Structures are given as structure tokens and as C-alpha cells.
Amino acid sequence: MGNTFLNLALLIIFHFSMPTFFMKFTTILTDQSALLALKDQVIHDPENVLTTNWSASAPVCNWFGVSCGSRHRRVTALDLAGLGLVGTLPPHLGNLSFLSLLRIKNNSFYGRLPAQLSNLHRLKYLSFGKNNFKGVIPFSLGYLSKLEVLYLFENQISGSIPSTIFNISSLQEIDLSFNMLSGSIPSVPRDLLLLEVIDFTTNNLTGHIPKDMFDHLPNLKELCLSVNQLSGRIPASLFKCKELDMISLSYNQMEGSLPIEIGNLSMLQYFSIGENHFEGIIPHEIDNLMNLQVLNLEINNFAGSIPPQIFNISTLRMISLGGNLLSGHLPSNMGLFLPNMEKLYLNLNHLVGSIPMYISNAFQLTLLDMSGNYFSGSIPDNLGNLRNLKILNLAINSLTSSRMSFLFSLTNCRVLENLFFGINSFISGELPRVVGNLSSSLEEFSAPACNIRGNIPSEIGNLSHLINLELGRNKLIGQIPTTVGGLEELQSLSFEDNKLEGSIPSELCHLNKLAFLFFANIKLSGPIPACLGDLTSLRHLFLGSNMFSSSIPSTLTRVNYLLILNLSSNSLSGPLPIDIGKWHVLTSLDLSNNQF
């Protein structure tokens, strides 16, 4: 009886110790089996890496992407990044018990993340970015106590961020950006002394950032939470993170003022809180950020004047303050201390005064946008010193220019692509012939409502890369130069509300890419050219309020995708084209005040 009881006890002990026994004594064959299970789940291997290299007849440690430890000869790393693989991950990966690195980013793996990944207790580096994974992040990933790097960016992962993630004391970087995660940001319950990067950009996260979150992240360097639906204020604890070099909170619903403690973050290089509901003044303490390269406060409700000290931070490459309620003058020496400035956005504010002459000292500028303000005085004639300038926008101000002399200077900007100075009603003067000497790279020339007088110079036809030419609402006279027909890249042409005369030159019918033609109210006469029907790219055609006669050319019905046609207030007569039904996507047709 005693022996029977003893045997039964031993049998029970052996039964329950079996999993432990096999777990302790797994071999390289276990690893091989797990990797072959992965191979079986791959349905597309464009480079035939697994197909030709992963074979049971070859040692596992010699397989492509596989690394083994020198001591135990077990698989310690699996790196299959960027091979274009398509498939799912089998649960067997959880049997790679010596694995410390798992990297399969930039493939097309799909399906759910197997919960068995939490069995990889030696795992330090997990990179699944740029795949097509769906489902939720397994809660059990928070039990990977040695994990240092977690990359799940650019997938289709949904659900909430597991609260267990911030229990991993070894965590250094976590990137869950460009997914479909929802819910709130979990709190940080303990000090994470090694965590340097948090990137949750472009998800659907809501709620407030936890107030005490940054009390536990003393060495945080990068915080990226842009493009979510976060609300509330910036937690005061954030400004305790003295190692921060990047803060990105743009495109959320956050509010409140910008605390003066921002000046404490002396290591900060990138600060972006645009597209929120922040308000109040821009604190002058921001001038303490002497390493700052990017400052983005655009599209908020900041008011008051711009602290002039901002323009003394020589490391700045971009300042974006557009779309606020900022007022006052710009400092007269602005530009003297911006040797690295590449992009300057001051548009859509309430700024007044003149454009500082020293702006031309910011030699690295590629973009200058001062549109939508109340700037007055003359457009500086030294803007041509900005030899790297690609975009210049001075539209919607009260600027002047004697004989448009600034255009002579801009001929030195040989890479200029976009030039906007419209809706400056005090500019006046004639459009100089030198306009034809502007950059051959110029794609947009927009100068509506500037009181420009005289003829359109034929030299404008030299701008062979123009996509948009806008000279409407001026006082132009004479005929449309035939050289416009040489602008073969043109997609939009606007001369409306001028005093031009004569007919539409047939050369315009060579503009095969033209989609928008605005010739309303410019006193043109003669018949509508039949060759306009060859412009099959046309979407909007405005010829109203002219003196066109004869009938609508039947060829115009060839423009099958015309959306808007306005021929009103002319002297057109005769029948309508019989195949007018070919305009099958037309949304607006105005033929009123004619003699049909």
C-alpha cells in the first residue's frame, strides 16, 4: 500500500514537471522548428531568401538573417528586414527562448501579433514597423522585462496602448506611430530611467496627457504625440525633462498657454505645437533655447508681439508662426542673426510696419511667407540676395513698389519656383519686361489685384515651366500676347477683370494641360476659337462678360470633363450644340444674357 502511494505521488510529480523539463532542455531543434513554422506561414518571398536558404539540411545558425550565440549555439537574433515578405507570424516564434533581437520591419506581414511573443524573456529589441499587422497590442508584451526597443510603427494596429508597457524598466524607445490606436495615454507608474523616446504620432488617441507622466521620465529626449485627438494643457511636469531635444504635439485639440518654463529646456532642438488651441503670448523665455532648430506654433490663438529675441537664435532653421493673432512690428535687424534659417512663416497674422531690409541677410532662406498681414512700405529691392529662395509669398498686404523694382532683384533668385505678391493694391506700375528673366524654374506667378497697368509683356512667354499664371483684377490693357501659347506646362491661366481687348489668340489652344481658364470681364471680342475644343483637360472655362459673337463652337463639346462653363453676358447667337449632352459631369452652366 505504501509503495503504491509513493508510485502514484511520483507519477503526479513527473506529470506536472514535464513542461518545465522540456522548457529547460529545449535545443537548437526547437529553434529550427519555430523558424520552419515561420517559413511555412510566408506566402510570398520575392527574393527567395527563405525558400532557398532555410533548409533542415543546413545548420540553423547558417541561415540567412539568423544569428546564434557562441556559448549555447541557440538562435539569439532574427533579422528579416526589408525582404518584401508576405505572411503571418506563427505562435511558434515564442519558442525561440534565447532570442534577444527580432527585426522584421519593412515587409508585408499581416494578421495579429501572437501573444506567445511574451515568452521571449530575453528579448531586448523588437522591430515590426512598416508592415500590415492588425488587431491589438498583446497585453502580455508588458511582461518582456528586458525589452529595450519596441517598434510597431506604420501598421494598422488598433485598440488601446496596454498599460503594462510602462512597467518595463529597461525600456529605452517605444514607437507606435502611424497606427489606429485609440483611448488615452496610459500613466507611467514607476521611474523609467532609461526611456528616451516616446512616439505615438498619427493615431486616434484622446484625453489628457497624464499630469505626472514626466515626473517618472527624467531622461526623456523625444516626445512625439502629433496628429491625434489629445486635449487639455501641456503638463507642467514636462518641463522637468531637461534632456528633451524634441517635443511634437501638433495637430491635436490641446489648449492653454505656453508656460514660461519652456525656457528650462535648454537642450531642445525641435518644438512643434501647431494646429491646436493654444493662446496667450509667446513667452520671451523661449530665447533661452539656444539649440533650437525648428519652432512651430502655427494655427493657434497666440496674440501679442513676437519676442524679438526669437530672431537672435542662430541655430534656427524654421520658424512657423502663421495663422495666429500676432501683432506689432518686426525687429529692424531681423535676419542679421539667422545664418541657418531656411523657412520663415509669418503669414495670416496682424503684423504691421515694413519688411526689414536685413531679411536678405538670411542667405539660406528657401521659403519666406509674410502673406495675409498689414505690412506696408516698399518691398525690399535686395530680396535677390536670397539666392536659395524657392517660395516668396507677400500677398494680401499693403505693400508698395516703385516701378516693381523688386522684380529686377528677384531675377538673381535662379531657383525661385513660386512667387505671390497679389492683393497689394498700392503696388501699381507696369509689369516690366524683365519678368521674362525670372527663374526658369518658376511654376507660379500670382499677382492679382495689384493695380498693374499697361500691356502684358511678351517676355512672359519665357517662363516655360509656369503652371499657374494669375494677373486678374488689374488694369492691364492691349492684347493677350501670343507667346502665352508657349507655356506648355500651364494648368491655370487667369486674366479676368482687366481691360484687355482683341480676340483669344489661337496659340492658347496649344496648352494641352490647361484645366482652368479665367477670361471673364476683359472686353475680348470675335468668335470663341473652335480649337478650344482641343483642350480636353479643361475643367473650368469662364468667358463671361466679354463681347464674343457668333455661336458656341460645336467642338467645345469634346471637352468631356468640363465642370463649370460660363459664357454669360456676351453677344453669342445661333443654336446650342446638338451634342451638349457630352458634358456629362457639368455642375454649372451659365449662358444667360446672350442672343441664342
Side-chain angles (χ1 to χ4, degrees):
M1 182 69 180
N3 288 337
T4 303
F5 179 79
L6 179 61
N7 290 337
L8 180 61
L10 289 173
L11 182 62
I12 293 172
I13 291 170
F14 178 75
H15 174 76
F16 283 103
S17 67
M18 283 287 285
T20 305
F21 177 84
F22 284 113
M23 184 170 65
K24 286 182 178 179
F25 292 97
T26 56
T27 67
I28 190 66
L29 294 177
T30 312
D31 297 347
Q32 181 189 67
S33 177
L35 294 177
L36 289 175
L38 173 60
K39 178 182 177 181
D40 289 341
Q41 296 289 87
V42 172
I43 61 175
H44 184 53
D45 179 7
E47 298 185 26
N48 291 319
V49 173
L50 308 189
T51 306
T52 59
N53 192 266
W54 283 24
S55 170
S57 61
V60 173
C61 296
N62 293 342
W63 291 2
F64 180 90
V66 175
S67 300
C68 293
S70 57
R71 180 182 176 190
H72 296 289
R73 302 303 295 165
R74 298 292 301 277
V75 175
T76 56
L78 177 61
D79 190 348
L80 301 176
L83 298 177
L85 301 173
V86 181
T88 58
L89 298 184
H92 307 73
L93 286 181
N95 295 334
L96 298 171
S97 52
F98 281 75
L99 201 66
S100 63
L101 181 147
L102 178 53
R103 185 170 178 263
I104 61 168
K105 77 168 188 176
N106 199 17
N107 284 289
S108 295
F109 283 102
Y110 59 94
R112 293 177 176 270
L113 300 176
Q116 289 80 2
L117 292 174
S118 61
N119 296 334
L120 305 176
H121 297 298
R122 290 180 171 88
L123 196 64
K124 294 181 179 181
Y125 189 102
L126 176 61
S127 176
F128 287 177
K130 292 188 177 181
N131 280 282
N132 297 312
F133 290 112
K134 293 186 177 181
V136 301
I137 301 173
F139 190 81
S140 55
L141 282 190
Y143 302 142
L144 297 174
S145 59
K146 295 187 178 180
L147 194 65
E148 297 174 0
V149 174
L150 176 60
Y151 290 156
L152 299 178
F153 57 87
E154 292 187 44
N155 281 283
Q156 301 171 45
I157 298 170
S158 57
S160 58
I161 300 173
S163 58
T164 53
I165 291 295
F166 288 135
N167 283 327
I168 305 173
S169 60
S170 56
L171 200 60
Q172 296 176 16
E173 298 184 23
I174 177 170
D175 188 344
L176 309 180
S177 61
F178 292 91
N179 280 288
M180 298 185 289
L181 295 165
S182 57
S184 58
I185 297 173
S187 60
V188 180
R190 58 187 297 180
D191 289 346
L192 300 180
L193 303 180
L194 302 177
L195 189 57
E196 295 184 351
V197 176
I198 297 176
D199 193 344
F200 297 159
T201 303
T202 311
N203 280 284
N204 297 311
L205 299 173
T206 55
H208 295 191
I209 301 172
K211 285 185 178 181
D212 61 347
M213 178 175 183
F214 305 103
D215 289 329
H216 303 291
L217 304 173
N219 295 304
L220 191 66
K221 292 184 177 179
E222 296 182 17
L223 177 67
C224 303
L225 303 177
S226 293
V227 197
N228 280 285
Q229 301 174 42
L230 298 170
S231 56
R233 297 173 175 266
I234 299 176
S237 61
L238 178 64
F239 303 105
K240 298 177 182 178
C241 300
K242 301 295 181 62
E243 300 298 316
L244 274 167
D245 59 44
M246 173 179 283
I247 298 175
S248 180
L249 304 175
S250 297
Y251 297 95
N252 279 289
Q253 305 293 324
M254 299 186 70
E255 60 188 12
S257 60
L258 181 57
I260 61 174
E261 287 79 11
I262 184 67
N264 296 341
L265 305 181
S266 59
M267 304 294 288
L268 204 59
Q269 297 180 34
Y270 184 101
F271 184 57
S272 178
I273 59 171
E275 293 268 5
N276 279 284
H277 304 297
F278 292 111
E279 58 188 6
I281 63 169
I282 300 174
H284 69 82
E285 285 79 5
I286 211 163
D287 68 341
N288 294 337
L289 309 180
M290 299 310 294
N291 293 300
L292 199 62
Q293 296 183 27
V294 173
L295 174 63
N296 178 10
L297 309 181
E298 67 181 10
I299 313 181
N300 279 286
N301 296 308
F302 288 112
S305 59
I306 303 172
Q309 297 90 342
I310 285 179
F311 302 112
N312 294 338
I313 303 175
S314 62
T315 53
L316 275 167
R317 292 186 294 108
M318 186 185 88
I319 296 177
S320 184
L321 304 178
N324 280 285
L325 305 171
L326 299 168
S327 58
H329 294 71
L330 297 177
S332 60
N333 64 350
M334 189 182 81
L336 284 178
F337 308 105
L338 297 174
N340 298 297
M341 181 62 61
E342 297 174 10
K343 297 181 180 180
L344 177 58
Y345 297 90
L346 300 175
N347 53 301
L348 300 175
N349 280 288
H350 302 306
L351 299 170
V352 298
S354 60
I355 297 176
M357 291 287 292
Y358 288 113
I359 191 65
S360 64
N361 283 54
F363 296 116
Q364 299 300 322
L365 267 178
T366 63
L367 183 150
L368 177 59
D369 190 347
M370 309 183 82
S371 62
N373 282 284
Y374 299 99
F375 288 119
S376 57
S378 182
I379 298 175
D381 287 340
N382 59 356
L383 292 177
N385 293 341
L386 302 174
R387 301 299 175 89
N388 297 308
L389 201 61
K390 292 184 177 180
I391 299 175
L392 175 61
N393 193 346
L394 304 176
I396 318 176
N397 281 288
S398 298
L399 296 166
T400 64
S401 179
S402 176
R403 299 188 302 277
M404 296 197 190
S405 54
F406 72 98
L407 289 175
F408 290 80
S409 175
L410 288 178
T411 60
N412 294 317
C413 302
R414 303 315 302 165
V415 294
L416 190 64
E417 296 177 358
N418 303 95
L419 175 58
F420 307 92
F421 59 94
I423 316 182
N424 280 283
S425 57
F426 301 117
I427 285 182
S428 191
E430 294 189 6
L431 198 61
R433 296 172 62 182
V434 75
V435 71
N437 294 337
L438 290 170
S439 165
S440 60
S441 303
L442 198 66
E443 296 180 352
E444 295 199 60
F445 185 92
S446 178
C450 289
N451 274 316
I452 301 174
R453 304 189 304 271
N455 294 280
I456 300 173
S458 61
E459 287 80 3
I460 206 161
N462 296 344
L463 304 176
S464 58
H465 285 85
L466 270 187
I467 293 174
N468 175 34
L469 175 56
E470 187 174 8
L471 291 171
R473 290 175 287 158
N474 282 293
K475 296 179 179 178
L476 295 168
I477 60 174
Q479 297 189 350
I480 297 172
T482 58
T483 55
V484 172
L487 304 177
E488 295 180 355
E489 301 298 319
L490 208 61
Q491 297 177 20
S492 180
L493 177 59
S494 175
F495 290 161
E496 82 273 12
D497 294 321
N498 278 286
K499 297 181 179 180
L500 298 169
E501 57 189 14
S503 59
I504 296 177
S506 59
E507 286 80 1
L508 260 65
C509 298
H510 300 156
L511 304 178
N512 294 324
K513 297 181 181 180
L514 198 65
F516 305 96
L517 182 59
F518 301 100
F519 278 5
N521 193 28
I522 53 177
K523 311 305 179 188
L524 295 177
S525 58
I528 295 174
C531 62
L532 287 182
D534 296 332
L535 302 180
T536 54
S537 294
L538 271 178
R539 298 295 178 265
H540 295 183
L541 178 57
F542 286 80
L543 302 178
S545 299
N546 281 286
M547 295 182 287
F548 291 117
S549 57
S550 189
S551 60
I552 299 175
S554 60
T555 55
L556 209 55
T557 59
R558 296 177 192 164
V559 188
N560 293 331
Y561 295 97
L562 200 62
L563 294 172
I564 299 176
L565 176 61
N566 189 326
L567 305 178
S568 64
S569 300
N570 280 286
S571 298
L572 297 169
S573 60
L576 299 180
I578 58 173
D579 50 357
I580 197 171
K582 288 184 177 179
W583 292 326
H584 58 279
V585 295
L586 201 69
T587 60
S588 176
L589 174 64
D590 191 347
L591 305 177
S592 62
N593 296 319
N594 279 285
Q595 298 170 20
F596 295 121

